[in-house]
Amino acid sequence: MNYIITGGGSGMGLELTKKLLKEGHHIGLIVRNEQRKDETIDELGTDKLDFFFADLSDQSAVRQVASNIKAKWDHLDGLFNNAGVLLDKEYASKQDNEMHFEVNTLSPYLLTTELKPLLEAAENPFVVNTLTGGLHKRKLEVDSLKKPKKFVKLMGPYMHSKTALLLLMNNLSEKWPNVRIAGADPGPNKTKMTAGDGMPGWLLPIRNLLFPKPTKGAGKIYQTAFDSKFIDKTGIYVSGGKVVPVKPLLSEGEIDKILSNIN
């Protein structure tokens, strides 16, 4: 099987990559540059996979990497949109979008739509998006995605961007009957992201003491993609090993407003 993974060179993505390689699948990783490729090869202990290069905060680079994948592969059985950012303050992308919104919402949506021809060329294709917990309880403030009214670590733009991705992808699942789309809550994990400056200070001691290794989160992402409980379902959010109903929905006007930030 052919699988593309973003963020597959570290943390949960790396553990997922290891598992899929061990099963004998053909894996493609989207990484930032040659240095990251070399580091990933060292981590994996193998170069038996394809590397594609892109800065996922740059929409032109996302389109180009999708084009490169389409030039090399003839079908795509699964896309794991796993890459993401958790930042310490507000940053703007090249497109002048808040960076969480750019990387965590717009980038995976754009990549997915650009790779649609390869997905539809596969027999039972899927897209699994790495999300976070509690999104079914959140109301999305669409107007604050591009320019947040206030920056709050973790619970602000980060959570908003993941909620937006969930709702956009669920909407997309209704329009793509031949591609299964699911969101995975991997739970808390000890990764570079959760050790970084984007984590609230009060949460770091809890992270250091109680968060499990990223193999656990990778297992939950894998389960969302392959467990028999989920393979006949689309437009779902899997949290705690079960499908959790998502109450907040987006109107077509809100969807259009979000997607207007894709140039």
Side-chain angles (χ1 to χ4, degrees), residues 111-255:
L111 180 64
T112 300
T113 55
E114 290 287 321
L115 292 177
K116 184 182 180 183
L118 290 188
L119 289 164
E120 292 192 327
E123 187 172 346
N124 294 298
F126 66 78
V127 177
V128 170
N129 305 291
T130 300
L131 301 174
T132 192
L135 299 185
H136 59 297
K137 300 177 180 179
R138 294 185 65 85
K139 179 175 174 57
L140 183 63
E141 297 177 10
V142 173
D143 291 337
S144 71
L145 286 168
K146 183 179 176 69
K147 297 289 184 183
K149 299 173 184 176
K150 179 181 180 182
F151 187 91
V152 179
K153 288 185 179 183
L154 185 63
M155 301 305 293
Y158 173 79
M159 289 289 284
H160 260 65
S161 66
K162 291 293 187 178
T163 304
L165 178 61
L166 170 62
L167 298 180
L168 280 178
M169 287 295 188
N170 280 0
N171 178 267
L172 195 64
S173 72
E174 298 175 0
K175 301 174 181 178
W176 290 14
N178 298 323
V179 180
R180 177 167 56 95
I181 298 178
D185 166 20
N189 290 262
K190 282 182 180 174
T191 63
K192 290 181 180 179
M193 178 183 288
T194 60
D197 293 338
M199 283 286 279
W202 63 268
L203 192 52
L204 286 172
I206 298 173
R207 178 258 183 206
N208 295 336
L209 285 172
L210 300 178
F211 284 19
K213 293 181 179 180
T215 49
K216 186 168 184 178
K220 292 182 177 181
I221 298 169
Y222 181 93
Q223 179 190 37
T224 301
F226 301 109
D227 195 295
S228 59
K229 294 186 297 185
F230 309 126
I231 58 174
D232 62 343
K233 297 178 176 64
T234 189
I236 60 172
Y237 171 48
V238 179
S239 183
K242 61 183 180 181
V243 176
V244 179
V246 178
K247 295 181 180 179
L249 300 174
L250 292 176
S251 68
E252 287 299 322
E254 289 174 321
I255 292 169

Side-chain angles (χ1 to χ4, degrees), residues 5-18 29 82 214 218 221:
I5 306 173
T6 66
S10 63
M12 296 181 296
L14 178 65
E15 298 304 322
L16 178 64
T17 300
K18 290 177 180 177
L29 298 186
N82 175 70
I221 298 169

